[in-house]
Amino acid sequence: MKGLRATLAFVGLLPWIRGLAHRELHASLAGAIDAAFFSLCHHAPERTLLLGGDAMCVCSRCAGLYAGVFLAAVWPWRASPTTLRIVFPAGAALMMADILSQDLGLHAPWHPLRLATGAIVGFTATAWMLSEVLGS
């Protein structure tokens, strides 16, 4: 199952690699990463982080989600399925509250909150999946 963890870590890092190493990546590799995430995220400019002056290939919430996937894949932390069954829906509820409040115009996109809610959901979903698959 190390292959599963490695795959999840790689996928979780991809948008960050694309954002942080934009100028160092070969154009075809950068284009392939962009294409991979194109249909997965809206890329709205006001909701997308700039790294090194360039927009990431995903919005800040998705960036948090992928960071959470990466962290859960590489961090040996173990939580009980009961804990994950509580934390995951709580994180998802926080994310939905932020989405609704933004869409209703109650506040502008705030990247730290978008990153945090995405990371909570990405981390707990991945940790939960790994606990089920790996039986730990």
Side-chain angles (χ1 to χ4, degrees):
M1 286 303 168
K2 288 182 181 180
L4 175 60
R5 284 186 178 277
T7 300
L8 289 168
F10 177 72
V11 170
L13 270 183
L14 268 180
W16 290 95
I17 290 169
R18 171 65 175 88
L20 292 170
H22 172 70
R23 298 188 198 299
E24 290 79 23
L25 291 176
H26 189 276
S28 61
L29 179 57
I33 294 172
D34 287 344
F37 290 97
F38 179 77
S39 64
L40 300 175
C41 181
H42 56 73
H43 305 92
E46 70 278 4
R47 295 179 181 190
T48 301
L49 293 172
L50 298 177
L51 296 178
D54 295 313
M56 288 186 75
C57 61
V58 293
C59 73
S60 55
R61 183 170 290 115
C62 288
L65 184 98
Y66 287 108
V69 169
F70 170 78
L71 290 172
V74 299
W75 194 15
W77 178 76
R78 301 273 192 251
S80 72
T82 303
T83 300
L84 294 169
R85 283 187 200 107
I86 294 167
V87 177
F88 175 74
L94 288 171
M95 180 187 286
M96 289 306 301
D98 182 45
I99 291 169
L100 289 172
S101 60
Q102 278 180 209
D103 289 350
L104 292 172
L106 299 177
H107 67 86
W110 191 47
H111 294 303
L113 182 58
R114 293 172 60 83
L115 282 165
T117 58
I120 292 168
V121 170
F123 184 89
T124 55
T126 303
W128 193 355
M129 187 237 357
L130 287 171
S131 74
E132 293 293 329
V133 170
L134 303 177
S136 53

